[in-house]
Structure formats: structure tokens, C-alpha cells
Amino acid sequence: MKRIICTILVLCLVFCLAACGGSSTPTITPEPTPIPTPEPTPNPRRIIAIDANYEHSVGLRADGTVVACGYNGNGECDVSDWRHIVANSTSKTHTVGLKDDGTVVAVGDNSEGQCDVSKWSSIVAVAAGFEHTLGLRADGTVVAVGSNQYGQCNVSKWTSIESISAGASHSVGLRKDGTVVAVGSNTVKQCAASGWSDVIAIAAGSDSTLVLRPDGTVRACGMSMWGELNTES
């Protein structure tokens, strides 16, 4: 009788093992693959570039729209309907915007024709002076509109230009070879930078010009009534 009972128990154990896969080795459950947390979507209304001049400020949003605040007596802040803008530049009384298709828009004072940019094309950079506007073409040439009282718009012969900057009454360009060209008012030697070499960046102030060299030093010329040329300190 005991033998029969033992046999039955053995058979039950065999059936149980078979039902469980025939092995006493524990089953290892793999760790679940973590689901990556998606990156937050950047705010298209965030400001990505700013510019300011005299009495108004302009901000470029990531979605290509523009905001402005400050004095608007000449309509220089009327930029709310601008779209597809990739860069902008401001002067005392006008604002210029560069569109992603290479065309240009401008608002504000147009007494000297400084906002007559609607026919420009293939523009890659813009610079607004006091009463003139510069546009850098993709081929390295430069166009200008507005007051030319001091010759600040005499840029038609410039070639191989890679960046531009406009002062109150002078214009500065940086060539691809690192040399500088400048035209316009030179009453305080703000155009003395013309011919300088080994330059990687330029900036025109109202009556001054600054250049940045590859070694990190800065050279300047023009008016220094308030110490604006003290770049060696």
C-alpha cells in the first residue's frame, strides 16, 4: 500500500514539473525598457536676437516675428506685421528687417529714402545708419540707400565683403581677406580704419569704428569724447 502511495506521489510530482516547463530553474523576467522623456518643445515666441539704438529697442523671435518698444514718433516700432525675419538692425529713427528669402523690409523715417529697400534681393545682412541703410549681397557686394551727404553710400565698388556696419554718417565693410574698407564722414577720423588688415569683426559707432583682431585685441579710430576708443584698458 505504501508503495502504491509513493508511486502516486512521484507521478504527481512529474506532472507538476512538466506543467511548469520541466525545470526547477527560476524564470528571470527582463527589466522593462525605460521610455525616454521627450525634450520640451522650444517656445517659438522666445527672443533670439536683439538690437537697440537711441530711443527704441527691437527683438527678433524664434518664429520670425519681431517686437519693438520705445519711441515711435516716426513709426520705427511698427514691426508687428513682419514675418519670416532672420535679422534686424536699428538706427535712431528707422528699423530694417532681413527676411529668410533675402528680401528686406524697413519702417520709420524715410525722409532721405533710407527705407527704400523693397526692391533689394539676395541680401544676407543689413545695417542701419542714421539716415542710410546698407545691404550685403550673397555675392559679397553691397548696396545702399538714403542720405549720401558724406559719401556714406558710395559702396558700389566694394567686393568680397563678408560683413557690414553703419555709423551715423559712415559705412564700414570687412573683406574676406581680413582688410577693412570705410567711406563717409571722416571729420574725426572714423574712416581711418580703411586699409587695416588682420581683422575678423567690425563695429561702427556713431562717429567711431572698432575692429577685432584674431588675437583678441581691439583697434579703434574716430571720436573719443567719452572714452569710447579706450579699448586697451
Side-chain angles (χ1 to χ4, degrees):
M1 186 69 180
K2 289 183 179 180
R3 182 177 295 178
I4 294 172
I5 293 173
C6 288
T7 302
I8 293 172
L9 291 174
V10 170
L11 290 174
C12 289
L13 180 61
V14 170
F15 282 121
C16 288
L17 290 174
C20 294
S23 174
S24 60
T25 303
T27 302
I28 300 176
T29 304
E31 291 289 331
T33 303
I35 300 175
T37 304
E39 292 292 331
T41 303
N43 180 6
R45 306 288 283 177
R46 71 189 189 281
I47 302 297
I48 59 173
I50 53 175
D51 196 20
N53 201 313
Y54 287 92
E55 298 175 330
H56 75 291
S57 304
V58 178
L60 173 62
R61 288 189 175 124
D63 63 1
T65 59
V66 180
V67 290
C69 60
Y71 182 73
N72 196 33
N74 300 283
E76 54 265 59
C77 292
D78 294 342
V79 297
S80 59
D81 61 343
W82 285 7
R83 299 292 184 272
H84 306 290
I85 303 297
V86 296
N88 54 258
S89 182
T90 65
S91 79
K92 182 178 181 180
T93 57
H94 75 292
T95 303
V96 184
L98 173 63
K99 288 187 172 182
D100 56 11
D101 63 358
T103 59
V104 181
V105 291
V107 294
D109 179 31
N110 196 33
S111 58
E112 296 292 335
Q114 59 265 52
C115 291
D116 294 341
V117 297
S118 60
K119 295 182 179 180
W120 286 3
S121 61
S122 302
I123 302 297
V124 297
V126 291
F130 178 51
E131 292 181 326
H132 72 294
T133 302
L134 304 178
L136 174 61
R137 289 193 179 117
D139 63 1
T141 60
V142 180
V143 289
V145 293
S147 173
N148 197 33
Q149 180 179 357
Y150 301 98
Q152 60 265 49
C153 290
N154 295 340
V155 297
S156 60
K157 295 182 179 180
W158 287 5
T159 58
S160 301
I161 302 297
E162 64 177 12
S163 66
I164 53 175
S165 188
S169 301
H170 73 295
S171 303
V172 185
L174 175 62
R175 288 196 173 111
K176 294 179 180 179
D177 64 0
T179 58
V180 178
V181 287
V183 294
S185 175
N186 196 35
T187 54
V188 288
K189 305 300 181 184
Q190 61 265 52
C191 288
S194 188
W196 289 358
S197 59
D198 199 27
V199 173
I200 59 174
I202 55 174
S206 179
D207 294 301
S208 62
T209 301
L210 304 178
V211 302
L212 175 64
R213 290 170 168 158
D215 63 1
T217 59
V218 177
R219 189 177 179 183
C221 60
M223 181 180 288
S224 191
M225 181 180 295
W226 307 106
E228 52 263 53
L229 302 188
N230 296 343
T231 58
E232 296 181 0
S233 59

